[in-house]
C-alpha cells in the first residue's frame, strides 16, 4: 500500500458548472429533474485540457488528483452503460475521466475517484436514513437495488481507468454494508477508501473545511478545502480565500501528519478559473519552499500554543501559522545557541541569540529569569501572504527542547 501521499488537487466538475452557482444547484433551487437534465444538452467543454490540470497540480507540489466521477445530481463524468445521464450523451461526447486518467499517466501523477452516494437522478436511490436526499415524484426507496447499481458503476471505474489511488465516497449512508468496501478492494487491493461510505470507517478520515483539534492524527487523515468559500464547483461570484488562509490551513494539517486535498472547480468550457490557478500557484510556491519541514516528523507545540514544530535529525522547524504581530520572536523552550537560524520560505539567514527573559510564573512573589533563544528582524511584511517557517539547526543531541 505504501506511504500516503500528502498533497493533492480535488476537482469538482459537472454539468452544474453551466449555472455558475454551486454543485448542489438543483437542490438549492428545487429544480425539477427533467429541467435540470437539459443542462446535459449544452455541456460541451471544448477547452478541456487535462494535461494543463496535471501540470498545474505538479507545479504546486501535488501528487494526485481526486476527480468527481458522479456528484449528487447523478450525472456521470465517465462512460457508463448503467445510465444515459452521462458525458457520452452530451455535445462533447467523449469520456472526460478517460482523458484525465491518460493525462495523469503521462504526467506521473496519481488518480483518485470521488463518488457520491446520493443520486438525484436515479429513481430508486432514495435513502431515508441519509442526508442530501432529493427524490422526485414516483421515486422509490430500494437501497438493495441501488447498491447493485453502485457496484456496477464501481466495477467500471475500477476496471477501465487504470490503478486508482483512493476512493472517495461522499455522504455516509447510515446503512452498514461491509460488502461495498470489500467489493472495491476485490477490484483494486491496494486502494485506500475514505470514511464516508456504507457505515464503514474505511482507511482514512476526511475533515472538511476545518482543522481538527489535538496533536498528531491517530489514523491517516486527508483534510479537504476549496479555493473559495461559497462552492466546490465553479461559482461565478466566488468569495475566494486568501493565499495566507490556505497556507495556514495546509500547514496545520501537514504538521499533524495529515494529507491535504485542495479543490478547484473548472468552468463549463473545461478551464480552471484564473483566480483558482493563481491561488494554487501561489500556495504551491510556498508549499515547495517549505516542503522539507512539512515532510518532517511532528514534534511539539511551543509555549504560546500557536507555534508548531517538526523535526528531522538535528533540524527543528518552527511553524507560525497564525502570523506574528512584530518582527521578533522568543522561543522560550529553546535555551541553547543553534548553529544557524534561517527563514525557510526563502532560505535567508536570520539574526539570533540567547537572551535573558522573565519566566511567566509567580509574579506576586518573585520574577524568575531564564535563558531563551530569540530571533530578530523576521521579514514578516514581505511574507504576509505565506505561513512563516523557521529552520533551526541545533548541535547533535540538542533536538530535545
Amino acid at each position: 500500500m505504501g506511504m500516503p501521499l500528502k498533497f493533492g488537487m480535488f476537482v469538482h466538475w459537472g454539468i452544474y458548472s453551466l449555472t455558475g452557482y454551486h454543485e448542489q444547484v438543483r437542490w438549492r433551487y428545487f429544480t425539477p429533474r427533467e429541467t435540470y437534465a437539459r443542462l446535459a444538452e449544452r455541456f460541451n467543454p471544448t477547452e478541456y485540457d487535462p494535461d494543463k490540470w496535471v501540470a498545474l497540480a505538479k507545479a504546486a507540489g501535488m501528487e494526485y488528483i481526486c476527480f468527481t466521477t458522479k456528484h449528487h445530481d447523478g450525472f456521470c463524468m465517465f462512460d457508463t452503460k448503467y445510465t444515459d445521464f452521462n458525458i457520452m450523451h452530451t455535445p462533447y461526447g467523449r469520456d472526460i475521466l478517460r482523458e484525465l486518467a491518460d493525462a495523469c499517466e503521462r504526467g506521473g501523477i496519481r488518480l483518485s475517484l470521488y463518488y457520491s452516494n446520493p443520486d438525484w437522478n436515479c429513481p430508486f436511490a432514495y435513502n431515508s436514513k441519509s442526508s442530501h436526499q432529493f427524490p422526485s415524484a414516483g421515486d422509490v426507496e430500494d437501497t438493495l437495488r441501488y447498491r447493485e447499481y453502485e457496484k456496477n458503476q464501481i466495477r467500471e471505474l475500477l476496471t477501465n481507468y487504470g490503478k486508482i489511488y483512493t476512493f472517495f465516497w461522499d455522504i455516509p449512508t447510515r446503512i452498514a454494508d461491509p460488502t461495498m468496501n470489500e467489493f472495491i478492494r476485490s477490484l483494486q487491493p491496494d486502494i485506500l477508501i475514505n470514511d464516508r461510505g456504507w457505515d464503514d470507517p474505511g482507511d482514512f478520515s476526511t475533515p472538511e473545511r476545518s482543522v481538527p483539534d489535538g496533536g498528531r492524527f491517530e489514523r491517516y487523515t486527508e483534510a479537504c478545502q476549496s479555493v473559495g468559500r461559497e462552492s466546490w464547483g465553479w461559482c461565478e461570484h466566488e468569495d475566494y480565500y486568501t493565499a495566507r488562509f490556505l497556507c495556514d490551513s495546509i500547514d496545520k494539517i501537514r504538521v499533524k501528519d495529515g494529507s491535504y486535498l485542495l479543490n478547484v472547480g473548472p468552468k463549463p468550457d473545461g478551464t480552471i478559473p484564473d483566480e483558482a490557478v493563481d491561488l494554487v500557484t501561489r500556495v504551491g510556491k510556498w508549499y515547495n519552499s517549505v516542503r522539507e519541514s512539512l515532510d518532517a516528523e511532528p514534534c511539539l507545540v511551543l509555549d504560546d500554543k500557536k507555534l508548531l514544530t517538526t523535526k528531522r535529525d538535528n533540524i527543528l522547524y518552527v511553524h507560525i501559522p497564525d502570523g506574528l504581530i512584530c518582527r521578533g520572536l522568543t522561543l522560550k523552550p529553546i535555551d541553547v545557541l543553534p548553529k544557524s537560524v534561517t527563514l525557510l520560505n526563502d532560505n535567508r539567514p536570520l539574526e539570533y541569540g540567547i537572551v535573558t527573559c522573565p519566566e511567566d510564573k509567580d509574579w506576586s512573589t518573585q520574577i524568575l529569569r531564564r535563558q531563551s533563544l530569540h530571533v530578530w528582524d523576521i521579514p514578516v511584511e514581505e511574507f504576509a501572504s505565506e505561513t512563516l517557517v523557521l529552520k533551526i539547526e541545533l548541535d547533535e543531541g540538542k533536538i530535545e527542547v
Side-chain angles (χ1 to χ4, degrees):
M1 189 173 295
M3 293 294 292
L5 306 178
K6 295 300 184 178
F7 193 27
M9 178 184 286
F10 214 170
V11 179
H12 276 65
W13 193 32
I15 58 174
Y16 45 79
S17 63
L18 286 164
T19 70
Y21 174 57
H22 196 278
E23 70 280 355
Q24 297 180 26
V25 60
R26 188 189 158 207
W27 190 17
R28 294 191 173 204
Y29 283 148
F30 301 101
T31 307
R33 179 177 292 164
E34 296 75 14
T35 302
Y36 183 82
R38 286 199 288 271
L39 288 175
E41 299 171 5
R42 297 193 287 115
F43 192 61
N44 190 22
T46 55
E47 299 302 312
Y48 171 53
D49 185 346
D51 289 304
K52 289 184 178 179
W53 292 13
V54 170
L56 175 65
K58 289 190 68 176
M62 295 170 170
E63 303 165 278
Y64 63 108
I65 292 176
C66 183
F67 182 71
T68 50
T69 64
K70 183 194 76 164
H71 209 271
H72 308 338
D73 62 353
F75 184 80
C76 298
M77 297 288 279
F78 63 101
D79 185 4
T80 175
K81 65 181 180 181
Y82 295 99
T83 177
D84 289 340
F85 198 44
N86 70 65
I87 190 62
M88 307 306 291
H89 293 80
T90 67
Y92 188 69
R94 304 203 305 269
D95 189 343
I96 277 174
L97 180 59
R98 172 77 274 154
E99 294 173 347
L100 177 59
D102 291 344
C104 287
E105 179 69 21
R106 286 192 296 270
I109 197 169
R110 301 292 298 275
L111 177 64
S112 293
L113 303 180
Y114 165 108
Y115 188 89
S116 168
N117 280 311
D119 189 321
W120 302 334
N121 186 70
C122 181
F124 49 86
Y126 177 62
N127 177 5
S128 59
K129 293 182 172 60
S130 186
S131 64
H132 294 74
Q133 303 296 306
F134 190 35
S136 297
D139 285 1
V140 297
E141 182 171 7
D142 191 342
T143 62
L144 289 177
R145 184 181 176 189
Y146 183 59
R147 274 173 261 184
E148 286 306 307
Y149 175 82
E150 286 198 334
K151 284 184 176 179
N152 285 330
Q153 289 201 321
I154 289 168
R155 181 183 294 107
E156 292 174 324
L157 290 170
L158 299 185
T159 302
N160 299 335
Y161 299 95
K163 189 175 179 63
I164 303 303
Y165 170 50
T166 62
F167 193 89
F168 193 113
W169 291 111
D170 200 13
I171 311 301
T173 61
R174 311 300 180 196
I175 297 174
D177 187 349
T179 68
M180 298 300 288
N181 281 358
E182 289 170 4
F183 179 70
I184 290 173
R185 293 192 179 96
S186 72
L187 296 170
Q188 298 220 16
D190 294 332
I191 200 168
L192 296 172
I193 307 171
N194 78 342
D195 59 350
R196 301 188 187 186
W198 290 82
D199 202 26
D200 188 318
D203 302 304
F204 62 97
S205 302
T206 52
E208 182 173 318
R209 292 192 185 271
S210 64
V211 177
D213 294 332
R216 185 172 188 165
F217 293 120
E218 295 182 359
R219 72 186 304 235
Y220 174 32
T221 297
E222 178 191 72
C224 56
Q225 174 65 276
S226 190
V227 293
R229 184 178 64 176
E230 299 301 317
S231 178
W232 293 79
W234 178 61
C235 181
E236 187 174 8
H237 301 292
E238 182 63 87
D239 291 332
Y240 286 97
Y241 287 117
T242 64
R244 170 61 185 278
F245 172 81
L246 294 174
C247 290
D248 284 354
S249 178
I250 294 169
D251 190 84
K252 291 175 182 178
I253 292 294
R254 292 286 284 103
V255 165
K256 294 172 181 284
D257 199 26
S259 299
Y260 204 90
L261 198 53
L262 181 60
N263 177 77
V264 297
K267 295 191 292 185
D269 65 0
T271 61
I272 297 174
D274 291 342
E275 299 90 340
V277 170
D278 178 65
L279 274 173
V280 171
T281 301
R282 293 170 65 192
V283 169
K285 178 178 178 296
W286 164 81
Y287 184 85
N288 288 323
S289 69
V290 303
R291 184 167 181 172
E292 68 178 77
S293 71
L294 300 174
D295 290 338
E297 179 185 351
C299 188
L300 50 80
V301 177
L302 298 185
D303 276 2
D304 65 3
K305 309 302 181 185
K306 294 181 180 180
L307 303 179
L308 307 173
T309 67
T310 52
K311 66 178 182 179
R312 175 181 289 112
D313 300 324
N314 64 320
I315 303 295
L316 182 71
Y317 303 96
V318 178
H319 303 251
I320 315 173
D322 293 318
L324 293 172
I325 61 172
C326 63
R327 294 170 60 88
L329 180 64
T330 300
L331 301 171
K332 291 183 179 179
I334 304 177
D335 58 4
V336 295
L337 193 67
K339 290 183 177 180
S340 65
V341 178
T342 58
L343 179 65
L344 192 57
N345 301 62
D346 68 349
N347 286 316
R348 77 175 65 182
L350 297 175
E351 184 181 356
Y352 62 94
I354 296 295
V355 299
T356 300
C357 59
E359 172 70 28
D360 299 327
K361 182 175 67 174
D362 200 13
W363 284 85
S364 62
T365 58
Q366 61 180 332
I367 299 178
L368 302 177
R369 295 188 176 275
R370 63 182 296 177
Q371 302 292 309
S372 296
L373 175 64
H374 190 87
V375 183
W376 287 276
D377 294 328
I378 302 171
V380 178
E381 300 291 356
E382 288 184 47
F383 294 90
S385 63
E386 297 184 12
T387 304
L388 297 173
V389 181
L390 306 184
K391 180 178 180 178
I392 302 174
E393 183 181 4
L394 298 162
D395 289 324
E396 297 290 344
K398 296 290 188 179
I399 195 65
E400 297 299 333
V401 297

